[in-house]
Short mmCIF file of all heavy atoms in Angstrom, two decimals:
data_model
loop_
_atom_site.label_atom_id
_atom_site.label_comp_id
_atom_site.label_asym_id
_atom_site.label_seq_id
_atom_site.Cartn_x
_atom_site.Cartn_y
_atom_site.Cartn_z
N ASP A 1066 -27.09 7.77 80.26
CA ASP A 1066 -25.98 7.27 79.44
C ASP A 1066 -25.00 8.38 79.11
O ASP A 1066 -23.78 8.19 79.16
CB ASP A 1066 -26.52 6.67 78.13
CG ASP A 1066 -27.36 5.42 78.35
OD1 ASP A 1066 -27.14 4.71 79.35
OD2 ASP A 1066 -28.25 5.16 77.51
N ILE A 1070 -21.04 8.59 80.08
CA ILE A 1070 -19.98 8.77 79.09
C ILE A 1070 -19.09 9.94 79.46
O ILE A 1070 -17.86 9.84 79.41
CB ILE A 1070 -20.59 8.95 77.67
CG1 ILE A 1070 -21.15 7.60 77.17
CG2 ILE A 1070 -19.55 9.49 76.69
CD1 ILE A 1070 -21.93 7.71 75.87
N SER A 1073 -16.86 8.98 82.38
CA SER A 1073 -15.82 8.04 81.99
C SER A 1073 -14.78 8.71 81.09
O SER A 1073 -13.58 8.43 81.20
CB SER A 1073 -16.43 6.84 81.27
OG SER A 1073 -15.44 5.95 80.82
N PRO A 1089 -14.95 11.48 71.72
CA PRO A 1089 -15.14 10.04 71.87
C PRO A 1089 -15.93 9.47 70.70
O PRO A 1089 -16.91 10.06 70.24
CB PRO A 1089 -15.93 9.93 73.18
CG PRO A 1089 -16.64 11.23 73.30
CD PRO A 1089 -15.71 12.26 72.72
N LYS A 1090 -15.48 8.32 70.23
CA LYS A 1090 -16.24 7.58 69.23
C LYS A 1090 -17.16 6.63 69.97
O LYS A 1090 -16.71 5.74 70.70
CB LYS A 1090 -15.31 6.80 68.30
CG LYS A 1090 -16.07 5.98 67.24
CD LYS A 1090 -15.14 5.20 66.33
CE LYS A 1090 -15.93 4.37 65.32
NZ LYS A 1090 -15.05 3.58 64.41
N VAL A 1091 -18.45 6.84 69.79
CA VAL A 1091 -19.48 6.05 70.48
C VAL A 1091 -20.21 5.21 69.44
O VAL A 1091 -20.70 5.74 68.44
CB VAL A 1091 -20.47 6.98 71.22
CG1 VAL A 1091 -21.56 6.15 71.89
CG2 VAL A 1091 -19.73 7.85 72.24
N VAL A 1092 -20.27 3.91 69.69
CA VAL A 1092 -20.90 2.99 68.73
C VAL A 1092 -22.13 2.36 69.36
O VAL A 1092 -22.05 1.74 70.44
CB VAL A 1092 -19.92 1.89 68.30
CG1 VAL A 1092 -20.62 0.90 67.35
CG2 VAL A 1092 -18.70 2.51 67.61
N LEU A 1093 -23.26 2.53 68.71
CA LEU A 1093 -24.49 1.83 69.07
C LEU A 1093 -24.59 0.59 68.19
O LEU A 1093 -24.68 0.71 66.97
CB LEU A 1093 -25.71 2.73 68.86
CG LEU A 1093 -27.09 2.07 68.95
CD1 LEU A 1093 -27.34 1.49 70.35
CD2 LEU A 1093 -28.19 3.07 68.57
N THR A 1094 -24.51 -0.59 68.81
CA THR A 1094 -24.53 -1.82 68.03
C THR A 1094 -25.74 -2.67 68.35
O THR A 1094 -26.08 -2.88 69.52
CB THR A 1094 -23.25 -2.65 68.26
OG1 THR A 1094 -23.32 -3.85 67.44
CG2 THR A 1094 -23.07 -3.06 69.71
N TRP A 1095 -26.40 -3.14 67.31
CA TRP A 1095 -27.46 -4.14 67.46
C TRP A 1095 -26.83 -5.45 67.92
O TRP A 1095 -25.67 -5.74 67.62
CB TRP A 1095 -28.14 -4.34 66.11
CG TRP A 1095 -29.25 -5.36 66.08
CD1 TRP A 1095 -30.58 -5.14 66.29
CD2 TRP A 1095 -29.12 -6.76 65.78
NE1 TRP A 1095 -31.27 -6.31 66.15
CE2 TRP A 1095 -30.40 -7.32 65.85
CE3 TRP A 1095 -28.03 -7.59 65.48
CZ2 TRP A 1095 -30.64 -8.67 65.61
CZ3 TRP A 1095 -28.26 -8.93 65.26
CH2 TRP A 1095 -29.55 -9.47 65.32
N ALA A 1096 -27.58 -6.23 68.68
CA ALA A 1096 -27.14 -7.56 69.09
C ALA A 1096 -28.36 -8.48 69.09
O ALA A 1096 -29.50 -8.01 69.22
CB ALA A 1096 -26.49 -7.52 70.47
N PHE A 1110 -31.05 6.78 72.64
CA PHE A 1110 -29.59 6.86 72.72
C PHE A 1110 -29.04 7.60 71.50
O PHE A 1110 -28.20 8.50 71.63
CB PHE A 1110 -28.98 5.47 72.80
CG PHE A 1110 -27.49 5.48 73.00
CD1 PHE A 1110 -26.94 5.75 74.24
CD2 PHE A 1110 -26.62 5.24 71.93
CE1 PHE A 1110 -25.56 5.79 74.43
CE2 PHE A 1110 -25.24 5.27 72.10
CZ PHE A 1110 -24.71 5.54 73.35
N ASP A 1121 -18.85 11.58 68.48
CA ASP A 1121 -18.96 11.00 67.15
C ASP A 1121 -19.72 9.70 67.27
O ASP A 1121 -19.25 8.74 67.89
CB ASP A 1121 -17.57 10.74 66.56
CG ASP A 1121 -16.83 12.03 66.21
OD1 ASP A 1121 -17.51 13.03 65.88
OD2 ASP A 1121 -15.59 12.04 66.29
N LEU A 1122 -20.91 9.64 66.68
CA LEU A 1122 -21.79 8.48 66.81
C LEU A 1122 -21.79 7.63 65.55
O LEU A 1122 -21.96 8.15 64.44
CB LEU A 1122 -23.22 8.93 67.12
CG LEU A 1122 -24.28 7.81 67.21
CD1 LEU A 1122 -23.99 6.87 68.38
CD2 LEU A 1122 -25.69 8.40 67.32
N VAL A 1123 -21.62 6.33 65.76
CA VAL A 1123 -21.73 5.34 64.69
C VAL A 1123 -22.80 4.33 65.10
O VAL A 1123 -22.82 3.88 66.25
CB VAL A 1123 -20.40 4.63 64.42
CG1 VAL A 1123 -20.56 3.55 63.35
CG2 VAL A 1123 -19.32 5.63 64.02
N THR A 1125 -24.42 0.60 64.10
CA THR A 1125 -24.16 -0.59 63.29
C THR A 1125 -25.21 -1.66 63.58
O THR A 1125 -25.59 -1.89 64.74
CB THR A 1125 -22.73 -1.13 63.54
OG1 THR A 1125 -22.49 -2.22 62.64
CG2 THR A 1125 -22.51 -1.58 64.97
N GLN A 1146 -19.88 -4.61 61.27
CA GLN A 1146 -19.72 -4.39 62.71
C GLN A 1146 -18.26 -4.20 63.11
O GLN A 1146 -17.94 -3.35 63.93
CB GLN A 1146 -20.34 -5.55 63.50
CG GLN A 1146 -20.47 -5.26 64.99
CD GLN A 1146 -20.96 -6.46 65.78
OE1 GLN A 1146 -20.71 -7.60 65.41
NE2 GLN A 1146 -21.66 -6.20 66.88
N LYS A 1147 -17.37 -4.98 62.51
CA LYS A 1147 -15.96 -4.85 62.85
C LYS A 1147 -15.43 -3.47 62.48
O LYS A 1147 -14.72 -2.83 63.27
CB LYS A 1147 -15.14 -5.93 62.15
CG LYS A 1147 -13.66 -5.89 62.54
CD LYS A 1147 -12.88 -7.06 61.93
CE LYS A 1147 -11.42 -7.02 62.39
NZ LYS A 1147 -10.64 -8.16 61.84
N LYS A 1148 -15.79 -3.01 61.31
CA LYS A 1148 -15.35 -1.68 60.88
C LYS A 1148 -15.91 -0.61 61.81
O LYS A 1148 -15.21 0.36 62.15
CB LYS A 1148 -15.80 -1.42 59.44
CG LYS A 1148 -15.29 -0.12 58.86
CD LYS A 1148 -15.69 0.03 57.39
CE LYS A 1148 -15.20 1.35 56.81
NZ LYS A 1148 -15.60 1.50 55.38
N ALA A 1149 -17.16 -0.78 62.25
CA ALA A 1149 -17.77 0.19 63.16
C ALA A 1149 -17.05 0.24 64.50
O ALA A 1149 -16.85 1.31 65.08
CB ALA A 1149 -19.24 -0.16 63.38
N PHE A 1150 -16.61 -0.92 64.99
CA PHE A 1150 -15.97 -1.01 66.30
C PHE A 1150 -14.55 -0.46 66.32
O PHE A 1150 -14.03 -0.10 67.38
CB PHE A 1150 -15.93 -2.47 66.77
CG PHE A 1150 -17.18 -2.94 67.48
CD1 PHE A 1150 -18.44 -2.66 66.99
CD2 PHE A 1150 -17.10 -3.69 68.64
CE1 PHE A 1150 -19.58 -3.10 67.63
CE2 PHE A 1150 -18.22 -4.14 69.30
CZ PHE A 1150 -19.47 -3.85 68.79
N GLU A 1151 -13.91 -0.41 65.17
CA GLU A 1151 -12.49 -0.04 65.13
C GLU A 1151 -12.27 1.36 65.71
O GLU A 1151 -12.84 2.34 65.25
CB GLU A 1151 -11.98 -0.11 63.69
CG GLU A 1151 -11.86 -1.55 63.19
CD GLU A 1151 -11.47 -1.63 61.72
OE1 GLU A 1151 -11.44 -0.57 61.05
OE2 GLU A 1151 -11.20 -2.75 61.24
N GLY A 1152 -11.43 1.42 66.74
CA GLY A 1152 -11.09 2.68 67.36
C GLY A 1152 -12.17 3.26 68.27
O GLY A 1152 -12.04 4.41 68.73
N ALA A 1153 -13.21 2.48 68.56
CA ALA A 1153 -14.30 3.00 69.38
C ALA A 1153 -13.88 3.16 70.83
O ALA A 1153 -13.14 2.35 71.39
CB ALA A 1153 -15.51 2.08 69.28
N ASP A 1154 -14.40 4.20 71.46
CA ASP A 1154 -14.14 4.45 72.88
C ASP A 1154 -15.27 3.91 73.76
O ASP A 1154 -15.05 3.56 74.92
CB ASP A 1154 -14.00 5.96 73.12
CG ASP A 1154 -12.85 6.55 72.33
OD1 ASP A 1154 -11.68 6.21 72.61
OD2 ASP A 1154 -13.12 7.34 71.40
N PHE A 1155 -16.47 3.83 73.19
CA PHE A 1155 -17.63 3.31 73.92
C PHE A 1155 -18.45 2.42 72.98
O PHE A 1155 -18.72 2.80 71.84
CB PHE A 1155 -18.52 4.44 74.45
CG PHE A 1155 -17.84 5.33 75.45
CD1 PHE A 1155 -17.14 6.46 75.02
CD2 PHE A 1155 -17.89 5.05 76.80
CE1 PHE A 1155 -16.51 7.30 75.93
CE2 PHE A 1155 -17.25 5.88 77.72
CZ PHE A 1155 -16.56 7.00 77.29
N ILE A 1156 -18.83 1.27 73.48
CA ILE A 1156 -19.70 0.35 72.75
C ILE A 1156 -21.01 0.21 73.53
O ILE A 1156 -21.02 -0.23 74.68
CB ILE A 1156 -19.07 -1.05 72.59
CG1 ILE A 1156 -17.76 -0.96 71.81
CG2 ILE A 1156 -20.05 -2.01 71.94
CD1 ILE A 1156 -17.93 -0.49 70.36
N TYR A 1157 -22.10 0.63 72.90
CA TYR A 1157 -23.42 0.52 73.53
C TYR A 1157 -24.19 -0.58 72.78
O TYR A 1157 -24.59 -0.40 71.63
CB TYR A 1157 -24.17 1.84 73.43
CG TYR A 1157 -25.34 1.96 74.38
CD1 TYR A 1157 -25.22 2.70 75.55
CD2 TYR A 1157 -26.56 1.35 74.12
CE1 TYR A 1157 -26.28 2.83 76.42
CE2 TYR A 1157 -27.62 1.45 74.99
CZ TYR A 1157 -27.48 2.20 76.15
OH TYR A 1157 -28.53 2.31 77.03
N ALA A 1158 -24.36 -1.72 73.43
CA ALA A 1158 -25.04 -2.85 72.80
C ALA A 1158 -26.51 -2.85 73.16
O ALA A 1158 -26.88 -2.62 74.32
CB ALA A 1158 -24.39 -4.16 73.23
N LYS A 1159 -27.35 -3.12 72.19
CA LYS A 1159 -28.79 -3.19 72.45
C LYS A 1159 -29.47 -3.90 71.31
O LYS A 1159 -29.19 -3.64 70.15
CB LYS A 1159 -29.38 -1.78 72.60
CG LYS A 1159 -30.85 -1.76 72.99
CD LYS A 1159 -31.05 -2.25 74.41
CE LYS A 1159 -32.51 -2.22 74.83
NZ LYS A 1159 -33.28 -3.35 74.27
N TRP A 1182 -23.13 -11.20 66.01
CA TRP A 1182 -23.23 -9.82 66.48
C TRP A 1182 -23.13 -9.73 68.01
O TRP A 1182 -23.07 -8.63 68.56
CB TRP A 1182 -24.53 -9.17 65.99
CG TRP A 1182 -24.49 -8.81 64.54
CD1 TRP A 1182 -24.61 -9.65 63.47
CD2 TRP A 1182 -24.32 -7.50 64.00
NE1 TRP A 1182 -24.53 -8.95 62.29
CE2 TRP A 1182 -24.35 -7.62 62.59
CE3 TRP A 1182 -24.15 -6.24 64.55
CZ2 TRP A 1182 -24.21 -6.53 61.74
CZ3 TRP A 1182 -24.02 -5.14 63.70
CH2 TRP A 1182 -24.05 -5.29 62.31
N THR A 1183 -23.14 -10.86 68.72
CA THR A 1183 -22.98 -10.85 70.16
C THR A 1183 -21.63 -10.23 70.52
O THR A 1183 -20.60 -10.60 69.96
CB THR A 1183 -23.05 -12.28 70.73
OG1 THR A 1183 -24.33 -12.84 70.41
CG2 THR A 1183 -22.87 -12.29 72.24
N VAL A 1184 -21.63 -9.30 71.47
CA VAL A 1184 -20.39 -8.60 71.83
C VAL A 1184 -19.57 -9.48 72.77
O VAL A 1184 -19.97 -9.76 73.89
CB VAL A 1184 -20.69 -7.24 72.50
CG1 VAL A 1184 -19.38 -6.55 72.88
CG2 VAL A 1184 -21.51 -6.36 71.56
N ASP A 1185 -18.40 -9.91 72.28
CA ASP A 1185 -17.50 -10.75 73.08
C ASP A 1185 -16.12 -10.10 73.14
O ASP A 1185 -15.91 -8.97 72.69
CB ASP A 1185 -17.43 -12.17 72.52
CG ASP A 1185 -16.95 -12.23 71.07
OD1 ASP A 1185 -16.39 -11.22 70.58
OD2 ASP A 1185 -17.13 -13.28 70.42
N GLU A 1187 -13.41 -10.73 71.55
CA GLU A 1187 -12.84 -10.42 70.24
C GLU A 1187 -13.41 -9.10 69.71
O GLU A 1187 -12.66 -8.26 69.19
CB GLU A 1187 -13.13 -11.54 69.24
CG GLU A 1187 -12.53 -11.25 67.86
CD GLU A 1187 -12.86 -12.31 66.82
OE1 GLU A 1187 -13.55 -13.30 67.17
OE2 GLU A 1187 -12.44 -12.14 65.66
N HIS A 1188 -14.72 -8.92 69.83
CA HIS A 1188 -15.32 -7.67 69.38
C HIS A 1188 -14.68 -6.47 70.08
O HIS A 1188 -14.34 -5.46 69.45
CB HIS A 1188 -16.82 -7.67 69.67
CG HIS A 1188 -17.64 -8.52 68.75
ND1 HIS A 1188 -17.60 -9.89 68.77
CD2 HIS A 1188 -18.54 -8.18 67.78
CE1 HIS A 1188 -18.43 -10.37 67.86
NE2 HIS A 1188 -19.01 -9.35 67.24
N MET A 1189 -14.51 -6.59 71.40
CA MET A 1189 -13.96 -5.46 72.17
C MET A 1189 -12.50 -5.22 71.84
O MET A 1189 -12.00 -4.09 72.01
CB MET A 1189 -14.15 -5.70 73.66
CG MET A 1189 -15.62 -5.75 74.11
SD MET A 1189 -16.59 -4.27 73.70
CE MET A 1189 -15.83 -3.04 74.76
N SER A 1190 -11.79 -6.25 71.34
CA SER A 1190 -10.39 -6.07 70.96
C SER A 1190 -10.24 -5.17 69.75
O SER A 1190 -9.15 -4.65 69.48
CB SER A 1190 -9.74 -7.43 70.69
OG SER A 1190 -10.20 -7.99 69.46
N TRP A 1191 -11.31 -4.98 68.99
CA TRP A 1191 -11.27 -4.10 67.83
C TRP A 1191 -11.32 -2.62 68.24
O TRP A 1191 -11.08 -1.74 67.42
CB TRP A 1191 -12.45 -4.38 66.90
CG TRP A 1191 -12.55 -5.82 66.42
CD1 TRP A 1191 -11.53 -6.72 66.29
CD2 TRP A 1191 -13.75 -6.50 66.03
NE1 TRP A 1191 -12.01 -7.93 65.84
CE2 TRP A 1191 -13.37 -7.83 65.66
CE3 TRP A 1191 -15.08 -6.15 65.94
CZ2 TRP A 1191 -14.29 -8.77 65.23
CZ3 TRP A 1191 -16.01 -7.08 65.52
CH2 TRP A 1191 -15.61 -8.38 65.16
N THR A 1192 -11.67 -2.36 69.49
CA THR A 1192 -11.90 -0.99 69.94
C THR A 1192 -10.63 -0.35 70.49
O THR A 1192 -9.58 -1.00 70.60
CB THR A 1192 -12.98 -0.95 71.04
OG1 THR A 1192 -12.43 -1.51 72.26
CG2 THR A 1192 -14.21 -1.74 70.64
N ASN A 1193 -10.74 0.89 70.88
CA ASN A 1193 -9.67 1.62 71.53
C ASN A 1193 -9.79 1.44 73.05
O ASN A 1193 -10.08 2.37 73.78
CB ASN A 1193 -9.74 3.11 71.14
CG ASN A 1193 -8.65 3.94 71.79
OD1 ASN A 1193 -7.54 3.47 72.01
ND2 ASN A 1193 -8.98 5.18 72.11
N ASN A 1194 -9.58 0.20 73.49
CA ASN A 1194 -9.80 -0.13 74.91
C ASN A 1194 -11.17 0.37 75.35
O ASN A 1194 -11.34 0.99 76.40
CB ASN A 1194 -8.71 0.49 75.79
CG ASN A 1194 -8.70 -0.07 77.20
OD1 ASN A 1194 -9.03 -1.23 77.43
ND2 ASN A 1194 -8.33 0.75 78.16
N GLY A 1195 -12.16 0.09 74.51
CA GLY A 1195 -13.49 0.67 74.68
C GLY A 1195 -14.22 0.21 75.93
O GLY A 1195 -14.03 -0.90 76.42
N LYS A 1196 -15.09 1.07 76.40
CA LYS A 1196 -15.96 0.78 77.53
C LYS A 1196 -17.26 0.15 77.01
O LYS A 1196 -17.78 0.58 75.97
CB LYS A 1196 -16.28 2.04 78.32
CG LYS A 1196 -15.05 2.76 78.86
CD LYS A 1196 -14.31 1.93 79.90
CE LYS A 1196 -13.31 2.75 80.70
NZ LYS A 1196 -12.22 3.30 79.88
N PHE A 1197 -17.77 -0.82 77.75
CA PHE A 1197 -19.01 -1.49 77.34
C PHE A 1197 -20.19 -0.90 78.10
O PHE A 1197 -20.13 -0.71 79.32
CB PHE A 1197 -18.94 -2.99 77.60
CG PHE A 1197 -20.24 -3.70 77.28
CD1 PHE A 1197 -20.54 -4.02 75.98
CD2 PHE A 1197 -21.16 -3.98 78.28
CE1 PHE A 1197 -21.75 -4.63 75.66
CE2 PHE A 1197 -22.37 -4.59 77.98
CZ PHE A 1197 -22.67 -4.92 76.67
N MET A 1198 -21.29 -0.65 77.37
CA MET A 1198 -22.49 -0.07 77.97
C MET A 1198 -23.73 -0.86 77.54
O MET A 1198 -23.81 -1.38 76.44
CB MET A 1198 -22.64 1.40 77.56
CG MET A 1198 -21.46 2.27 77.93
SD MET A 1198 -21.65 4.01 77.42
CE MET A 1198 -22.95 4.55 78.55
N HIS A 1199 -24.69 -0.91 78.45
CA HIS A 1199 -26.00 -1.51 78.17
C HIS A 1199 -26.97 -0.98 79.21
O HIS A 1199 -26.61 -0.75 80.37
CB HIS A 1199 -25.95 -3.03 78.22
CG HIS A 1199 -27.21 -3.69 77.73
ND1 HIS A 1199 -28.32 -3.84 78.53
CD2 HIS A 1199 -27.53 -4.23 76.53
CE1 HIS A 1199 -29.27 -4.44 77.83
NE2 HIS A 1199 -28.82 -4.68 76.62
N CYS A 1200 -28.24 -0.81 78.83
CA CYS A 1200 -29.22 -0.21 79.72
C CYS A 1200 -29.69 -1.16 80.82
O CYS A 1200 -30.21 -0.71 81.83
CB CYS A 1200 -30.41 0.28 78.91
SG CYS A 1200 -31.28 -1.05 78.03
N ILE A 1208 -26.71 -10.92 74.07
CA ILE A 1208 -26.28 -9.55 73.80
C ILE A 1208 -24.77 -9.42 74.00
O ILE A 1208 -24.06 -8.85 73.17
CB ILE A 1208 -27.00 -8.55 74.73
CG1 ILE A 1208 -28.52 -8.62 74.52
CG2 ILE A 1208 -26.48 -7.14 74.50
CD1 ILE A 1208 -29.01 -8.06 73.23
N VAL A 1209 -24.30 -9.95 75.13
CA VAL A 1209 -22.90 -9.77 75.53
C VAL A 1209 -22.46 -10.98 76.32
O VAL A 1209 -23.25 -11.60 77.05
CB VAL A 1209 -22.74 -8.48 76.38
CG1 VAL A 1209 -23.63 -8.52 77.63
CG2 VAL A 1209 -21.30 -8.23 76.75
N VAL A 1213 -17.15 -9.96 79.05
CA VAL A 1213 -17.20 -8.54 78.68
C VAL A 1213 -17.99 -7.75 79.71
O VAL A 1213 -17.54 -6.70 80.18
CB VAL A 1213 -17.79 -8.35 77.27
CG1 VAL A 1213 -18.05 -6.86 76.99
CG2 VAL A 1213 -16.83 -8.91 76.23
N ASN A 1218 -13.91 -2.77 82.15
CA ASN A 1218 -14.36 -1.76 81.20
C ASN A 1218 -15.88 -1.71 81.06
O ASN A 1218 -16.40 -0.96 80.24
CB ASN A 1218 -13.74 -2.01 79.82
CG ASN A 1218 -12.33 -1.45 79.73
OD1 ASN A 1218 -11.73 -1.13 80.74
ND2 ASN A 1218 -11.82 -1.32 78.52
N SER A 1219 -16.58 -2.49 81.85
CA SER A 1219 -18.05 -2.47 81.81
C SER A 1219 -18.58 -1.33 82.65
O SER A 1219 -18.21 -1.15 83.81
CB SER A 1219 -18.60 -3.80 82.33
OG SER A 1219 -20.02 -3.75 82.41
N LEU A 1220 -19.48 -0.55 82.06
CA LEU A 1220 -20.06 0.62 82.74
C LEU A 1220 -21.53 0.41 83.09
O LEU A 1220 -22.23 1.37 83.43
CB LEU A 1220 -19.94 1.85 81.84
CG LEU A 1220 -18.53 2.33 81.50
CD1 LEU A 1220 -18.60 3.55 80.57
CD2 LEU A 1220 -17.75 2.70 82.77
N VAL A 1221 -22.01 -0.81 83.05
CA VAL A 1221 -23.46 -1.03 83.20
C VAL A 1221 -23.98 -0.62 84.58
O VAL A 1221 -25.11 -0.13 84.70
CB VAL A 1221 -23.86 -2.49 82.86
CG1 VAL A 1221 -23.54 -2.80 81.41
CG2 VAL A 1221 -23.19 -3.48 83.80
N GLU A 1224 -24.02 3.27 84.84
CA GLU A 1224 -25.17 3.73 84.05
C GLU A 1224 -26.45 3.65 84.86
O GLU A 1224 -27.25 4.60 84.89
CB GLU A 1224 -25.35 2.85 82.82
CG GLU A 1224 -24.46 3.09 81.66
CD GLU A 1224 -24.80 2.11 80.55
OE1 GLU A 1224 -25.74 2.38 79.78
OE2 GLU A 1224 -24.14 1.05 80.46
#
Side-chain angles (χ1 to χ4, degrees):
D1066 294 332
I1070 287 172
S1073 177
K1090 179 180 178 181
V1091 178
V1092 177
L1093 169 63
T1094 181
W1095 179 92
F1110 185 78
D1121 290 330
L1122 177 65
V1123 177
T1125 185
Q1146 192 186 29
K1147 183 175 183 179
K1148 185 176 179 181
F1150 274 45
E1151 289 175 352
D1154 300 294
F1155 297 90
I1156 299 295
Y1157 197 102
K1159 185 69 179 78
W1182 285 76
T1183 300
V1184 179
D1185 58 16
E1187 181 183 359
H1188 285 70
M1189 296 303 292
S1190 73
W1191 304 333
T1192 72
N1193 180 33
N1194 193 31
K1196 302 295 195 297
F1197 176 81
M1198 302 180 70
H1199 189 279
C1200 62
I1208 300 289
V1209 58
V1213 171
N1218 278 16
S1219 175
L1220 296 178
V1221 297
E1224 281 179 83

